[in-house]
Amino acid sequence: MSGLLDRHRWAWPEAMFWCGWIAVFFLFPDRLSLSTQILIWSMFALSLDLVMGFCGILSLGQAFFFGVGAYATAWTALLGWHEPISAALVGAAVAALAALPLGLLVLGLSGLRQIMATLAIGALGLEAANRAAGVTGGDDGLQGFGFAPLLGHFRWSIFGQTSFFYALTGFALVFLLLRHLLAAPFGITLQGIRDNATRMRMLGVRVGRYRLLAWTIGAAIAGLAGALGAQTTRFVGLDSMSLDASIAVLVMLVVGGTGRLYGGPIGAAVYMIVHDQAANWNPYHWMAAIGVLLILVVRLGRGGLLGLMEQAWARF
Amino acid sequence: MLRIDSLSGGWGATTIIDGCSLHLAQGEICALLGRNGVGKTTLLELITGRARHRAGGIRMNGKNLVGTALHVRARAGLAHVPQQREVFPSLTVAENLDVAARPGSWTRRRLLDLFPSLAARLHARAAHLSGGEQQMLAIARALASNPCLLLMDEPSEGLAPVVVEQLVAAIRAMATDGLTILLVEQNFHVAIALSDRCLVMERGRIVHDGPSTALRRSPSDLADLLFQSNIIT
């Protein structure tokens, strides 16, 4: 279990995690749509983990970048560019561009003021998207766009195989990138900033630049997740940048464990499976099951489910 | 090397340092003594830039530090070992050293030679170190930035005598490298034994400035300096 928490070395529990995703394809062929959504939200949770878990920036507006990436990718197709990978990268780039000026606004703040500023970004962004119905489709959302076969060969079938492997590959690449980044001097510095930003400044580090870079990379990853969501569902609605989405990804991260890379993906999987099962049981009150899960995890120990697994492993 | 002229400042609206002046020569170890609450830590924090500056000058190697950002002072060659150590708890010992590292003679290998107990715990998280090891790490981290002036705030506080001995040996080794050190220390024996010069503070000002050798020979003079309330040099 300690291998899941080690920044520098790979360990066997990680192989289990990745093999598990391959196994999902064969064991649950009729649940590929849900699995694809879990992968996309796992990527989204990684973006928040970078910003909040590793850099200490408190954000309640991360879904804004998810939505921006989704709308930008949808519009890429609507404007006639149908190559899916480059269209997804356009979504990530637009989200990163949107993050830069907002980062200058948010990152000078701390604590509650920072949370409120990110909340305001999310709320204003959602309202702007609602008003700009000509661009976003308003309440009806954007639809009627599609993408060319992946790599010119794999068609987007209704069974979801292409979407699943597309999302899995995207998630794995983002994960590898973040893992590499966080074990490199850049990532170590971010974690030092999270521990004690003032002490970092007193060691000569330009904390603001590091935070802005982490914030922008986090937004790009959130935008990429949104882009993949748009491509695999062929729909973008206002809910993609809603406060509910920001809160959901935060809950996923807290349930899985912040600042641990695997915490977000594990939290996303648990959240969405509980959501799926609870919604079957009661489509109106599924949030109660999530609430109970969240309370249990935060009451039982620090570090979310990964922290609990770590404690159990230490006793074993 | 360091020149402070009529410096005043403190925390929030409270002025603690009031018209303080001192200078340090290159390679000098200077002990700053005084009773609790006279402003020793605040003086160090005014030099680092964390405390609020009100008036007066701070120059290091001729460069004016007043009004400059914390990271600018650090890059100018200023390093600080705080009283609470403030190591980065989630980083390993090696990572704590690496985030501070700048080019110079204090390489990681040399630091680990100076603090062998850290070498044995290089991949342990700083949160899991003992108090003594954390203190060694805080000093090593400051040295990793290859400073020209090191401010140390009560480095021996709360440490076992055997660890204090290791610390004294390490500071002596640092001094042979030509590093200028301003040392705030409650353990007067350690301070007097290590320093070339001794400053005594009272109510935010320096009230005694003299060679440590004299106080080493006559500890009673030191007691008089520290516990008389109206000290004028």
Side-chain angles (χ1 to χ4, degrees):
Chain A
M1 189 53 53
S2 60
L4 277 178
L5 310 171
D6 194 304
R7 283 191 282 271
H8 302 282
R9 287 175 300 182
W10 289 90
W12 64 266
E14 295 183 84
M16 282 174 56
F17 176 86
W18 294 104
C19 289
W21 273 114
I22 302 293
V24 162
F25 180 78
F26 297 103
L27 295 176
F28 304 103
D30 55 337
R31 306 308 303 271
L32 289 184
S33 175
L34 174 65
S35 304
T36 302
Q37 289 307 306
I38 291 174
L39 286 164
I40 288 166
W41 279 79
S42 294
M43 190 192 291
F44 187 20
L46 283 180
S47 80
L48 186 62
D49 204 13
L50 171 67
V51 167
M52 201 176 79
F54 287 95
C55 196
I57 301 165
L58 303 168
S59 177
L60 262 183
Q62 197 70 0
F64 174 71
F65 303 115
F66 184 88
V68 166
Y71 282 118
T73 300
W75 267 103
T76 309
L78 288 169
L79 291 172
W81 182 260
H82 298 286
E83 199 291 310
I85 295 174
S86 54
L89 292 176
V90 167
V94 172
L97 280 174
L100 265 173
L102 295 173
L104 297 173
L105 185 75
V106 165
L107 301 179
L109 306 172
S110 62
L112 194 57
R113 290 195 305 160
Q114 190 170 65
I115 295 174
M116 289 301 110
T118 57
L119 185 65
I121 287 172
L124 290 171
L126 180 63
E127 188 53 32
N130 190 27
R131 291 289 177 107
V135 178
T136 63
D139 285 334
D140 296 331
L142 280 183
Q143 48 196 320
F145 57 89
F147 291 89
L150 191 60
L151 302 173
H153 185 70
F154 301 101
R155 296 190 174 279
W156 304 88
S157 71
I158 57 165
F159 301 107
Q161 292 100 328
T162 301
S163 296
F164 175 80
F165 278 109
Y166 181 53
L168 179 58
T169 306
F171 168 61
L173 288 174
V174 166
F175 188 94
L176 283 173
L177 173 77
L178 278 185
R179 191 190 164 95
H180 177 74
L181 212 58
L182 292 168
F186 171 75
I188 303 300
T189 304
L190 285 188
Q191 290 159 80
I193 290 170
R194 175 196 62 195
D195 283 358
N196 189 335
T198 303
R199 180 54 48 189
M200 250 338 180
R201 288 189 184 96
M202 294 175 82
L203 290 170
V205 174
R206 298 183 134 184
V207 167
R209 287 187 179 186
Y210 276 88
R211 278 186 167 154
L212 185 60
L213 193 52
W215 167 262
T216 308
I217 294 171
I221 294 171
L224 186 63
L228 264 58
Q231 290 176 322
T232 54
T233 59
R234 296 188 195 180
F235 175 77
V236 187
L238 286 174
D239 59 337
S240 65
M241 60 163 59
S242 67
L243 180 60
D244 284 355
S246 288
I247 291 173
V249 75
L250 178 62
V251 171
M252 288 173 190
L253 190 57
V254 172
V255 165
T258 58
R260 291 158 184 262
L261 266 192
Y262 281 96
I266 288 173
V270 170
Y271 181 102
M272 295 192 77
I273 290 167
V274 169
H275 176 191
D276 186 60
Q277 295 300 314
N280 283 340
W281 162 67
N282 187 324
Y284 302 107
H285 299 109
W286 60 269
M287 200 64 192
I290 300 290
V292 171
L293 173 71
L294 184 61
I295 289 168
L296 278 177
V297 170
V298 297
R299 284 292 297 167
L300 288 175
R302 298 179 72 179
L305 289 173
L306 261 187
L308 289 173
M309 288 156 76
E310 187 186 20
Q311 288 168 26
W313 184 263
R315 284 185 191 171
F316 176 73
Chain B
M1 201 285 143
L2 177 72
R3 176 158 220 101
I4 291 176
D5 295 310
S6 306
L7 185 65
S8 296
W11 303 99
T14 311
T15 297
I16 295 170
I17 301 298
D18 187 13
C20 177
S21 297
L22 68 91
H23 76 277
L24 294 183
Q26 176 73 42
E28 192 175 29
I29 300 185
C30 196
L32 183 59
L33 306 177
R35 293 175 298 179
N36 283 335
V38 296
K40 304 184 296 293
T41 295
T42 306
L43 177 59
L44 295 195
E45 296 290 11
L46 274 166
I47 300 170
T48 64
R50 270 212 292 205
R52 179 175 287 185
H53 173 269
R54 293 194 192 289
I58 308 170
R59 300 189 82 84
M60 189 172 72
N61 289 330
K63 187 174 181 179
N64 181 21
L65 296 185
V66 172
T68 58
L70 299 180
H71 74 272
V72 173
R73 296 181 195 219
R75 286 174 179 225
L78 179 66
H80 177 229
V81 180
Q83 197 172 356
Q84 287 80 21
R85 290 144 195 170
E86 295 184 26
V87 292
F88 302 113
S90 66
L91 304 189
T92 64
V93 169
E95 290 166 347
N96 264 275
L97 298 178
D98 290 347
V99 291
R102 279 204 293 277
S105 63
W106 288 104
T107 59
R108 193 206 275 191
R109 171 180 284 245
R110 196 168 162 220
L111 290 168
L112 296 178
D113 286 343
L114 186 64
F115 300 109
S117 59
L118 293 182
R121 311 218 54 196
L122 201 55
H123 300 295
R125 302 239 164 153
H128 300 152
L129 300 182
S130 69
E133 288 169 335
Q134 287 194 3
Q135 187 60 269
M136 304 286 182
L137 178 57
I139 297 170
R141 184 184 60 183
L143 288 176
S145 67
N146 280 286
C148 50
L149 171 62
L150 181 62
L151 309 175
M152 302 179 83
D153 198 352
E154 306 205 10
S156 74
E157 190 192 25
L159 302 183
V162 64
V163 182
V164 173
E165 282 177 25
Q166 292 171 19
L167 197 66
V168 167
I171 294 173
R172 282 210 173 101
M174 286 149 53
T176 59
D177 203 53
L179 187 63
T180 309
I181 301 174
L182 181 56
L183 173 72
V184 167
E185 182 57 67
Q186 286 284 10
N187 185 333
F188 302 125
H189 301 293
V190 168
I192 296 298
L194 274 174
S195 59
D196 307 311
R197 195 151 64 96
C198 185
L199 308 172
V200 177
M201 269 191 101
E202 182 71 27
R203 293 178 193 165
R205 291 182 181 203
I206 305 294
V207 292
H208 169 83
D209 184 346
S212 301
T213 45
L215 297 174
R216 246 177 254 149
R217 282 196 297 268
S218 177
S220 60
D221 288 353
L222 176 62
D224 290 345
L225 279 171
L226 292 172
F227 298 110
Q228 285 174 7
S229 56
N230 300 315
I231 322 167
I232 304 293
T233 311

